[in-house]
Amino acid sequence: ALPLGVSAPAPAEASAREAEATAPRNEAGRSQARPSVADVVAVDMAAGRSNLGPRESLSSLTDEFRFNLKFGEKVRHLEQRGYIGWRRIRGDGNCFYRSVGFGLLEQLIVSPVQRRMSFTAVLHDRLAALRFADAEQASAHADFLGRIARLRSGAGWQEPPRSGAEITAFGLLYRCLRDPKNGSDASLIRALRRLTADYLLAHQNEETAEGSGITFNDVCVCSDYDSVDDFCNRVVLPDGRDAETLCQQALPAALGIAVRIAFLDREAAKEANFQDFGLSEVGGKDKPQQWQPLVHVQLRPGHYDLLYWREASSESDRVAAAAAAAAVRARSPRAQAARARARPPTLGAEDFQELELMRPDIHKRSKPGFCL
């Protein structure tokens, strides 16, 4: 089903009508086949008419590879891990950046206002530091930055249309980034690629993992690139170039978020494998744990799509609220009296030389210095 408050995309409707017109017909002249929304969205993405699809259940992901039993097992493993849905992302070489970018903005849109304003303030500052030499790109980035500023102020992604139709805050975001002609999708991807490149260049001589002894520059050189700068110019910055391993690590770090990748392209594995990037960047022994967006994506042969996990933030809020209520109840006089009545007998030590074990089934003195 489409997101609440969002009408079906016009390109998809056109494709559906076209498919309806060309479908085989029975004796009564009625179409014998009607394409599903998922089929239409897939066709539109392949034709470059849509960047995003509606959120779907994982059953449709299984149907995509219904003849691959191992893939079906991995999808079932996702369900067991708490995943509840997925979203198709256009596969044009930008799918990693688009998945992470849209997944982040979607979380911010539906987050509580104070949480959204706090994180988008940091995000806005990072994006505002980017500079583009091309005048058209600079203008598009300024427009995109203005949308982020709206989120920072507590407003929506853009002004709702004056048509009178009610559209949710998420619906405005979805409609904007779904349309390839809008320009916001291109600005988002361009900005994320620049952030990734800037992070790699700034940390090129640092270890990819603590204690590994291998720097980002070492990885680039061992991968047949002259340097990190060469890697960025050939892989990170060009539009339509697929993300490679270092990008998976650099983009979350540059954004200050976490990304969890479910790998569904390993044929030998019966279960999906997961790898986290950026989770260790927030919190720790010396820093208070703060809210951090966690974007879930899946990687299957050469392509990224968005995954949806059960609402961890809502669940944690409910657990915290329940714990706080329990703590209040525990401090009440009635609760303290009940605990005193229910407390099991303890060791007596009246003369401090012998310890008496006060259990109903054992009535004897223990030797000095011992507890039975």
Short mmCIF file of all heavy atoms in Angstrom, two decimals, residues 197-251:
data_model
loop_
_atom_site.label_atom_id
_atom_site.label_comp_id
_atom_site.label_asym_id
_atom_site.label_seq_id
_atom_site.Cartn_x
_atom_site.Cartn_y
_atom_site.Cartn_z
N ALA A 197 33.39 11.89 0.21
CA ALA A 197 34.74 12.19 -0.28
C ALA A 197 35.51 13.05 0.72
O ALA A 197 36.69 12.80 0.99
CB ALA A 197 34.65 12.88 -1.64
N ASP A 198 34.86 14.07 1.26
CA ASP A 198 35.53 14.95 2.22
C ASP A 198 35.98 14.17 3.46
O ASP A 198 37.07 14.43 4.00
CB ASP A 198 34.61 16.09 2.63
CG ASP A 198 34.40 17.10 1.50
OD1 ASP A 198 35.11 17.00 0.48
OD2 ASP A 198 33.49 17.96 1.64
N TYR A 199 35.14 13.25 3.92
CA TYR A 199 35.51 12.45 5.09
C TYR A 199 36.73 11.58 4.79
O TYR A 199 37.67 11.51 5.60
CB TYR A 199 34.34 11.58 5.53
CG TYR A 199 34.67 10.72 6.73
CD1 TYR A 199 34.48 11.20 8.03
CD2 TYR A 199 35.19 9.43 6.58
CE1 TYR A 199 34.80 10.43 9.13
CE2 TYR A 199 35.52 8.65 7.69
CZ TYR A 199 35.32 9.15 8.95
OH TYR A 199 35.64 8.39 10.05
N LEU A 200 36.74 10.93 3.64
CA LEU A 200 37.87 10.05 3.29
C LEU A 200 39.15 10.86 3.15
O LEU A 200 40.22 10.42 3.59
CB LEU A 200 37.56 9.30 2.00
CG LEU A 200 36.51 8.20 2.09
CD1 LEU A 200 36.16 7.67 0.71
CD2 LEU A 200 36.99 7.07 2.99
N LEU A 201 39.07 12.01 2.53
CA LEU A 201 40.27 12.84 2.37
C LEU A 201 40.78 13.35 3.71
O LEU A 201 42.00 13.41 3.95
CB LEU A 201 39.96 14.01 1.44
CG LEU A 201 39.74 13.65 -0.04
CD1 LEU A 201 39.20 14.84 -0.80
CD2 LEU A 201 41.05 13.15 -0.66
N ALA A 202 39.87 13.69 4.60
CA ALA A 202 40.28 14.22 5.91
C ALA A 202 40.85 13.14 6.81
O ALA A 202 41.63 13.43 7.73
CB ALA A 202 39.09 14.90 6.59
N HIS A 203 40.49 11.88 6.58
CA HIS A 203 40.92 10.78 7.45
C HIS A 203 41.75 9.75 6.69
O HIS A 203 41.87 8.61 7.12
CB HIS A 203 39.70 10.09 8.06
CG HIS A 203 38.87 10.97 8.93
ND1 HIS A 203 37.92 11.84 8.42
CD2 HIS A 203 38.82 11.13 10.28
CE1 HIS A 203 37.33 12.50 9.41
NE2 HIS A 203 37.86 12.10 10.54
N GLN A 204 42.35 10.14 5.58
CA GLN A 204 43.02 9.18 4.72
C GLN A 204 44.18 8.47 5.40
O GLN A 204 44.49 7.31 5.05
CB GLN A 204 43.51 9.87 3.44
CG GLN A 204 44.47 11.02 3.65
CD GLN A 204 44.84 11.67 2.34
OE1 GLN A 204 45.32 11.01 1.42
NE2 GLN A 204 44.60 12.98 2.23
N ASN A 205 44.82 9.09 6.35
CA ASN A 205 45.96 8.47 7.03
C ASN A 205 45.57 7.83 8.37
O ASN A 205 46.44 7.43 9.14
CB ASN A 205 47.07 9.49 7.24
CG ASN A 205 47.66 9.97 5.92
OD1 ASN A 205 47.88 9.17 5.01
ND2 ASN A 205 47.90 11.27 5.80
N GLU A 206 44.27 7.75 8.63
CA GLU A 206 43.80 7.11 9.86
C GLU A 206 43.42 5.66 9.58
O GLU A 206 43.14 5.27 8.44
CB GLU A 206 42.59 7.87 10.42
CG GLU A 206 42.92 9.29 10.83
CD GLU A 206 41.71 10.02 11.39
OE1 GLU A 206 40.68 9.34 11.64
OE2 GLU A 206 41.79 11.24 11.59
N GLU A 207 43.40 4.86 10.63
CA GLU A 207 43.08 3.45 10.48
C GLU A 207 41.60 3.27 10.16
O GLU A 207 40.75 3.97 10.69
CB GLU A 207 43.42 2.67 11.76
CG GLU A 207 44.91 2.65 12.09
CD GLU A 207 45.19 1.91 13.38
OE1 GLU A 207 44.28 1.87 14.23
OE2 GLU A 207 46.30 1.38 13.52
N THR A 208 41.32 2.30 9.29
CA THR A 208 39.93 2.00 8.96
C THR A 208 39.21 1.39 10.16
O THR A 208 38.00 1.52 10.30
CB THR A 208 39.85 1.03 7.79
OG1 THR A 208 40.60 -0.16 8.11
CG2 THR A 208 40.46 1.67 6.53
N ALA A 209 39.94 0.72 11.02
CA ALA A 209 39.40 0.16 12.26
C ALA A 209 40.49 0.26 13.31
O ALA A 209 41.69 0.10 13.01
CB ALA A 209 38.97 -1.29 12.08
N GLU A 210 40.11 0.55 14.54
CA GLU A 210 41.08 0.75 15.60
C GLU A 210 41.96 -0.48 15.78
O GLU A 210 41.46 -1.60 15.94
CB GLU A 210 40.35 1.06 16.91
CG GLU A 210 41.28 1.42 18.06
CD GLU A 210 40.53 1.82 19.31
OE1 GLU A 210 39.28 1.90 19.25
OE2 GLU A 210 41.18 2.05 20.34
N GLY A 211 43.25 -0.27 15.72
CA GLY A 211 44.19 -1.35 15.92
C GLY A 211 44.48 -2.19 14.69
O GLY A 211 45.28 -3.12 14.73
N SER A 212 43.86 -1.85 13.55
CA SER A 212 44.06 -2.66 12.34
C SER A 212 45.41 -2.38 11.69
O SER A 212 45.97 -3.25 11.02
CB SER A 212 42.95 -2.38 11.33
OG SER A 212 43.03 -1.05 10.83
N GLY A 213 45.92 -1.15 11.87
CA GLY A 213 47.17 -0.79 11.23
C GLY A 213 47.02 -0.51 9.74
O GLY A 213 48.03 -0.28 9.05
N ILE A 214 45.79 -0.52 9.23
CA ILE A 214 45.53 -0.29 7.81
C ILE A 214 44.76 1.01 7.66
O ILE A 214 43.69 1.18 8.25
CB ILE A 214 44.72 -1.45 7.21
CG1 ILE A 214 45.47 -2.77 7.37
CG2 ILE A 214 44.42 -1.19 5.73
CD1 ILE A 214 44.69 -3.97 6.91
N THR A 215 45.31 1.93 6.91
CA THR A 215 44.67 3.23 6.73
C THR A 215 43.75 3.22 5.51
O THR A 215 43.79 2.31 4.68
CB THR A 215 45.72 4.33 6.56
OG1 THR A 215 46.43 4.10 5.31
CG2 THR A 215 46.72 4.31 7.71
N PHE A 216 42.95 4.28 5.40
CA PHE A 216 42.09 4.41 4.22
C PHE A 216 42.94 4.49 2.95
O PHE A 216 42.57 3.95 1.92
CB PHE A 216 41.21 5.66 4.35
CG PHE A 216 40.12 5.52 5.38
CD1 PHE A 216 40.24 6.11 6.63
CD2 PHE A 216 38.97 4.80 5.10
CE1 PHE A 216 39.24 5.99 7.58
CE2 PHE A 216 37.96 4.67 6.04
CZ PHE A 216 38.10 5.26 7.29
N ASN A 217 44.06 5.18 3.05
CA ASN A 217 44.93 5.29 1.89
C ASN A 217 45.51 3.93 1.51
O ASN A 217 45.64 3.61 0.31
CB ASN A 217 46.07 6.27 2.18
CG ASN A 217 46.88 6.60 0.94
OD1 ASN A 217 46.40 7.26 0.03
ND2 ASN A 217 48.13 6.13 0.88
N ASP A 218 45.85 3.11 2.50
CA ASP A 218 46.36 1.77 2.22
C ASP A 218 45.34 0.95 1.43
O ASP A 218 45.68 0.24 0.47
CB ASP A 218 46.70 1.03 3.52
CG ASP A 218 47.87 1.67 4.26
OD1 ASP A 218 48.69 2.33 3.60
OD2 ASP A 218 47.94 1.52 5.50
N VAL A 219 44.07 1.04 1.85
CA VAL A 219 43.02 0.28 1.17
C VAL A 219 42.89 0.74 -0.27
O VAL A 219 42.74 -0.09 -1.19
CB VAL A 219 41.68 0.45 1.91
CG1 VAL A 219 40.55 -0.21 1.13
CG2 VAL A 219 41.76 -0.14 3.30
N CYS A 220 42.95 2.03 -0.51
CA CYS A 220 42.83 2.55 -1.87
C CYS A 220 43.98 2.09 -2.75
O CYS A 220 43.78 1.66 -3.89
CB CYS A 220 42.76 4.08 -1.85
SG CYS A 220 41.25 4.74 -1.11
N VAL A 221 45.20 2.18 -2.21
CA VAL A 221 46.37 1.78 -2.99
C VAL A 221 46.34 0.29 -3.29
O VAL A 221 46.64 -0.15 -4.41
CB VAL A 221 47.66 2.16 -2.24
CG1 VAL A 221 48.89 1.58 -2.94
CG2 VAL A 221 47.79 3.67 -2.13
N CYS A 222 45.92 -0.51 -2.32
CA CYS A 222 45.83 -1.96 -2.54
C CYS A 222 44.70 -2.33 -3.49
O CYS A 222 44.65 -3.46 -3.99
CB CYS A 222 45.63 -2.67 -1.21
SG CYS A 222 47.06 -2.62 -0.11
N SER A 223 43.80 -1.39 -3.73
CA SER A 223 42.68 -1.63 -4.66
C SER A 223 42.95 -1.02 -6.03
O SER A 223 42.02 -0.76 -6.80
CB SER A 223 41.38 -1.05 -4.08
OG SER A 223 41.10 -1.61 -2.82
N ASP A 224 44.24 -0.77 -6.32
CA ASP A 224 44.67 -0.27 -7.63
C ASP A 224 44.28 1.18 -7.89
O ASP A 224 44.12 1.59 -9.05
CB ASP A 224 44.14 -1.16 -8.77
CG ASP A 224 44.74 -2.56 -8.72
OD1 ASP A 224 45.90 -2.70 -8.28
OD2 ASP A 224 44.04 -3.51 -9.13
N TYR A 225 44.15 1.97 -6.82
CA TYR A 225 43.98 3.41 -6.98
C TYR A 225 45.26 4.08 -6.53
O TYR A 225 45.97 3.58 -5.64
CB TYR A 225 42.79 3.91 -6.17
CG TYR A 225 41.47 3.31 -6.60
CD1 TYR A 225 40.91 2.24 -5.89
CD2 TYR A 225 40.80 3.80 -7.72
CE1 TYR A 225 39.71 1.68 -6.30
CE2 TYR A 225 39.60 3.24 -8.13
CZ TYR A 225 39.06 2.18 -7.42
OH TYR A 225 37.88 1.61 -7.82
N ASP A 226 45.57 5.21 -7.10
CA ASP A 226 46.82 5.89 -6.76
C ASP A 226 46.81 6.40 -5.33
O ASP A 226 47.85 6.43 -4.67
CB ASP A 226 47.07 7.06 -7.72
CG ASP A 226 47.31 6.59 -9.15
OD1 ASP A 226 47.71 5.42 -9.32
OD2 ASP A 226 47.08 7.38 -10.08
N SER A 227 45.65 6.85 -4.86
CA SER A 227 45.54 7.45 -3.53
C SER A 227 44.06 7.56 -3.18
O SER A 227 43.18 7.19 -3.97
CB SER A 227 46.20 8.83 -3.52
OG SER A 227 45.54 9.68 -4.45
N VAL A 228 43.79 8.11 -2.00
CA VAL A 228 42.40 8.37 -1.62
C VAL A 228 41.80 9.40 -2.56
O VAL A 228 40.63 9.28 -2.95
CB VAL A 228 42.34 8.87 -0.16
CG1 VAL A 228 40.95 9.41 0.16
CG2 VAL A 228 42.70 7.75 0.80
N ASP A 229 42.57 10.40 -2.94
CA ASP A 229 42.08 11.42 -3.86
C ASP A 229 41.69 10.80 -5.19
O ASP A 229 40.64 11.14 -5.77
CB ASP A 229 43.16 12.48 -4.06
CG ASP A 229 42.65 13.66 -4.88
OD1 ASP A 229 41.73 14.35 -4.41
OD2 ASP A 229 43.16 13.86 -5.99
N ASP A 230 42.50 9.87 -5.67
CA ASP A 230 42.19 9.18 -6.92
C ASP A 230 40.92 8.34 -6.77
O ASP A 230 40.05 8.31 -7.65
CB ASP A 230 43.37 8.29 -7.33
CG ASP A 230 43.14 7.58 -8.66
OD1 ASP A 230 42.60 8.23 -9.58
OD2 ASP A 230 43.48 6.38 -8.76
N PHE A 231 40.77 7.67 -5.64
CA PHE A 231 39.57 6.86 -5.37
C PHE A 231 38.32 7.75 -5.35
O PHE A 231 37.29 7.38 -5.92
CB PHE A 231 39.73 6.15 -4.03
CG PHE A 231 38.52 5.38 -3.59
CD1 PHE A 231 38.23 4.12 -4.12
CD2 PHE A 231 37.65 5.91 -2.64
CE1 PHE A 231 37.11 3.42 -3.71
CE2 PHE A 231 36.53 5.22 -2.23
CZ PHE A 231 36.25 3.97 -2.76
N CYS A 232 38.41 8.90 -4.71
CA CYS A 232 37.26 9.80 -4.64
C CYS A 232 36.88 10.33 -6.02
O CYS A 232 35.68 10.40 -6.36
CB CYS A 232 37.56 10.96 -3.70
SG CYS A 232 37.68 10.48 -1.96
N ASN A 233 37.88 10.68 -6.83
CA ASN A 233 37.60 11.23 -8.15
C ASN A 233 37.04 10.19 -9.12
O ASN A 233 36.27 10.53 -10.02
CB ASN A 233 38.87 11.84 -8.75
CG ASN A 233 39.27 13.13 -8.07
OD1 ASN A 233 38.42 13.90 -7.61
ND2 ASN A 233 40.58 13.39 -7.98
N ARG A 234 37.39 8.94 -8.91
CA ARG A 234 36.95 7.90 -9.84
C ARG A 234 35.73 7.12 -9.35
O ARG A 234 34.98 6.58 -10.16
CB ARG A 234 38.11 6.93 -10.08
CG ARG A 234 39.28 7.56 -10.85
CD ARG A 234 40.51 6.67 -10.82
NE ARG A 234 40.25 5.33 -11.35
CZ ARG A 234 41.15 4.35 -11.37
NH1 ARG A 234 42.36 4.56 -10.84
NH2 ARG A 234 40.85 3.17 -11.87
N VAL A 235 35.52 7.07 -8.02
CA VAL A 235 34.45 6.22 -7.49
C VAL A 235 33.40 7.01 -6.73
O VAL A 235 32.19 6.82 -6.93
CB VAL A 235 35.05 5.13 -6.56
CG1 VAL A 235 33.94 4.30 -5.92
CG2 VAL A 235 36.00 4.24 -7.33
N VAL A 236 33.83 7.91 -5.85
CA VAL A 236 32.88 8.56 -4.94
C VAL A 236 32.12 9.71 -5.60
O VAL A 236 30.89 9.79 -5.50
CB VAL A 236 33.60 9.07 -3.68
CG1 VAL A 236 32.61 9.71 -2.72
CG2 VAL A 236 34.34 7.93 -2.99
N LEU A 237 32.82 10.59 -6.27
CA LEU A 237 32.19 11.81 -6.77
C LEU A 237 31.39 11.65 -8.06
O LEU A 237 30.37 12.34 -8.23
CB LEU A 237 33.26 12.89 -6.95
CG LEU A 237 33.91 13.38 -5.65
CD1 LEU A 237 35.05 14.34 -5.94
CD2 LEU A 237 32.88 14.03 -4.74
N PRO A 238 31.77 10.80 -9.00
CA PRO A 238 31.00 10.70 -10.25
C PRO A 238 29.58 10.19 -10.02
O PRO A 238 29.37 9.20 -9.31
CB PRO A 238 31.81 9.69 -11.08
CG PRO A 238 33.19 9.74 -10.53
CD PRO A 238 33.00 9.98 -9.06
N ASP A 239 28.62 10.88 -10.60
CA ASP A 239 27.22 10.46 -10.49
C ASP A 239 27.02 9.12 -11.21
O ASP A 239 27.55 8.90 -12.29
CB ASP A 239 26.32 11.52 -11.11
CG ASP A 239 24.86 11.16 -11.01
OD1 ASP A 239 24.34 11.10 -9.88
OD2 ASP A 239 24.23 10.92 -12.06
N GLY A 240 26.27 8.25 -10.56
CA GLY A 240 25.96 6.96 -11.17
C GLY A 240 27.00 5.88 -10.94
O GLY A 240 26.84 4.77 -11.45
N ARG A 241 28.04 6.18 -10.19
CA ARG A 241 29.07 5.17 -9.91
C ARG A 241 28.70 4.44 -8.61
O ARG A 241 28.44 5.06 -7.58
CB ARG A 241 30.44 5.82 -9.77
CG ARG A 241 31.57 4.85 -9.43
CD ARG A 241 31.78 3.83 -10.53
NE ARG A 241 32.71 2.78 -10.11
CZ ARG A 241 34.03 2.81 -10.36
NH1 ARG A 241 34.56 3.83 -11.00
NH2 ARG A 241 34.80 1.82 -9.96
N ASP A 242 28.68 3.11 -8.68
CA ASP A 242 28.31 2.30 -7.52
C ASP A 242 29.26 2.54 -6.35
O ASP A 242 30.46 2.73 -6.54
CB ASP A 242 28.33 0.80 -7.87
CG ASP A 242 27.20 0.41 -8.81
OD1 ASP A 242 26.14 1.05 -8.74
OD2 ASP A 242 27.38 -0.53 -9.62
N ALA A 243 28.68 2.49 -5.15
CA ALA A 243 29.48 2.66 -3.94
C ALA A 243 30.31 1.41 -3.68
O ALA A 243 29.82 0.29 -3.84
CB ALA A 243 28.57 2.93 -2.74
N GLU A 244 31.56 1.60 -3.29
CA GLU A 244 32.42 0.50 -2.91
C GLU A 244 32.58 0.49 -1.39
O GLU A 244 32.07 1.36 -0.68
CB GLU A 244 33.76 0.60 -3.63
CG GLU A 244 33.63 0.47 -5.14
CD GLU A 244 34.97 0.39 -5.86
OE1 GLU A 244 36.01 0.28 -5.18
OE2 GLU A 244 34.97 0.44 -7.10
N THR A 245 33.31 -0.49 -0.89
CA THR A 245 33.35 -0.78 0.55
C THR A 245 33.65 0.43 1.41
O THR A 245 32.99 0.66 2.43
CB THR A 245 34.37 -1.89 0.83
OG1 THR A 245 34.06 -3.02 0.01
CG2 THR A 245 34.31 -2.30 2.29
N LEU A 246 34.64 1.24 1.05
CA LEU A 246 35.00 2.38 1.87
C LEU A 246 33.85 3.37 1.99
O LEU A 246 33.71 4.06 3.01
CB LEU A 246 36.23 3.08 1.29
CG LEU A 246 37.58 2.37 1.47
CD1 LEU A 246 38.70 3.23 0.89
CD2 LEU A 246 37.84 2.07 2.93
N CYS A 247 33.01 3.44 0.97
CA CYS A 247 31.85 4.35 1.01
C CYS A 247 30.86 3.91 2.09
O CYS A 247 30.23 4.76 2.73
CB CYS A 247 31.17 4.39 -0.34
SG CYS A 247 32.25 4.85 -1.72
N GLN A 248 30.73 2.60 2.27
CA GLN A 248 29.83 2.09 3.30
C GLN A 248 30.24 2.57 4.69
O GLN A 248 29.39 2.78 5.55
CB GLN A 248 29.81 0.56 3.26
CG GLN A 248 29.29 -0.03 1.97
CD GLN A 248 29.46 -1.54 1.92
OE1 GLN A 248 30.16 -2.13 2.76
NE2 GLN A 248 28.82 -2.19 0.97
N GLN A 249 31.51 2.74 4.89
CA GLN A 249 32.02 3.19 6.19
C GLN A 249 32.06 4.70 6.29
O GLN A 249 31.75 5.27 7.35
CB GLN A 249 33.42 2.62 6.43
CG GLN A 249 34.03 3.01 7.77
CD GLN A 249 35.38 2.34 8.00
OE1 GLN A 249 35.82 1.51 7.20
NE2 GLN A 249 36.03 2.70 9.08
N ALA A 250 32.42 5.36 5.21
CA ALA A 250 32.65 6.81 5.26
C ALA A 250 31.36 7.62 5.34
O ALA A 250 31.28 8.61 6.07
CB ALA A 250 33.47 7.25 4.05
N LEU A 251 30.32 7.22 4.60
CA LEU A 251 29.10 8.01 4.58
C LEU A 251 28.42 8.08 5.95
O LEU A 251 28.07 9.18 6.41
CB LEU A 251 28.12 7.48 3.53
CG LEU A 251 26.78 8.23 3.44
CD1 LEU A 251 26.99 9.71 3.18
CD2 LEU A 251 25.89 7.61 2.36
#
